[in-house]
Amino acid sequence: MTQRVAVYPGSFDPIHHGHLDIIERCCTLFDEVVVAVLANEAKKALFSPEERVAMIRELFPGRTQVRVENFSGLLVEFADQAGARVVVRGLRAVSDFEYEMQMALMNRRLNPRIETVFMMPREDYSYLSSRLVKEVCALGASLDGLVPPSVLARLRERLVPRGAGGEGARR
Ligand SMILES: Nc1ncnc2c1ncn2[C@@H]1O[C@H](COP(=O)(O)OP(=O)(O)OP(=O)(O)O)[C@@H](O)[C@H]1O
Ligand SMILES: [Mg+2]
């Protein structure tokens, strides 16, 4: 039987519960989910591609259904090499739609064998983005329930100056 493989690409700088929600949904539909961490980005990242991959891998111990890899270059080529016919993207709001549609149609043109599939997260996560997570963390506010504890610890190491924020901010 052929394996149904999906690639879920993004910058994941860092991964948050909106991303995890989409990955879990993928696991109910596909035999394998390849989380593809984009390395060659225009936007300046807080974490290196290797750090981002490591943080995601840590969240799926023993879960062979979820593979996490770095990639750069053309997504459709990466998907082909991974044996995937599907690229999954999350849709939070209408504001995501225009960019996503451009990407999906361009990718279809580049490789018509690969379909883009969109998934909606749980409503609670529909406003969540890595950018917002970093902003809120840098300001010392709580991110409980929005990012996994291991990711939160790394975010604080990097963003909250030692001694700043007080005890309340660390909870
Ligand atoms: N809260 C969320 N719910 C569902 N999908 C999401 C959510 N956040 C991001 N995604 C999806 O995850 C994929 C990777 O997105 P990306 O790495 O840009 O995350 P991001 O949170 O949007 O980060 P940034 O703020 O840096 O753009 C995209 O398909 C994006 O639509
Ligand atoms: Mg984004």
Side-chain angles (χ1 to χ4, degrees):
M1 215 180 82
T2 49
Q3 289 275 308
R4 292 165 307 169
V5 182
V7 169
Y8 178 40
S11 34
F12 305 103
D13 184 44
I15 189 152
H16 53 64
H17 277 202
H19 297 135
L20 291 172
D21 180 286
I22 299 295
I23 295 170
E24 293 301 345
R25 284 173 205 283
C26 286
C27 284
T28 69
L29 293 176
F30 302 101
D31 299 305
E32 185 179 36
V33 183
V34 184
V35 181
V37 177
L38 187 56
N40 61 339
E41 274 188 288
K43 42 183 183 185
K44 196 171 154 17
L46 180 63
F47 296 101
S48 72
E50 293 73 25
E51 287 173 319
R52 287 179 262 156
V53 166
M55 277 191 271
I56 303 171
R57 282 190 182 149
E58 233 180 83
L59 300 172
F60 296 94
R63 293 269 301 269
T64 50
Q65 198 182 359
V66 180
R67 193 146 65 82
V68 189
E69 305 289 350
N70 269 315
F71 89 102
S72 55
L74 273 183
L75 173 62
V76 288
E77 270 173 21
F78 176 85
D80 237 359
Q81 279 159 18
R85 296 283 310 275
V86 171
V87 166
V88 169
R89 296 286 289 173
L91 271 189
R92 284 163 288 201
V94 181
S95 50
D96 279 339
F97 182 77
E98 198 167 330
Y99 174 74
E100 292 296 340
M101 188 169 122
Q102 282 182 351
M103 290 286 289
L105 294 180
M106 178 55 84
N107 282 335
R108 177 180 287 165
R109 190 190 147 98
L110 296 172
N111 186 338
R113 277 172 29 91
I114 291 176
E115 282 299 337
T116 303
V117 169
F118 294 102
M119 284 189 199
M120 270 58 105
R122 212 170 93 179
E123 304 92 275
D124 318 39
Y125 304 139
S126 62
Y127 61 91
L128 197 54
S129 72
S130 299
R131 182 185 59 80
L132 211 50
V133 159
K134 286 178 278 194
E135 280 181 25
V136 169
C137 183
L139 294 169
S142 168
L143 285 167
D144 265 1
L146 300 180
V147 296
S150 56
V151 173
L152 186 56
R154 288 222 177 68
L155 270 167
R156 283 188 176 147
E157 262 170 38
R158 196 135 309 177
L159 288 175
V160 183
R162 273 176 212 291
E167 258 318 292
R170 295 184 185 283
R171 218 157 280 138

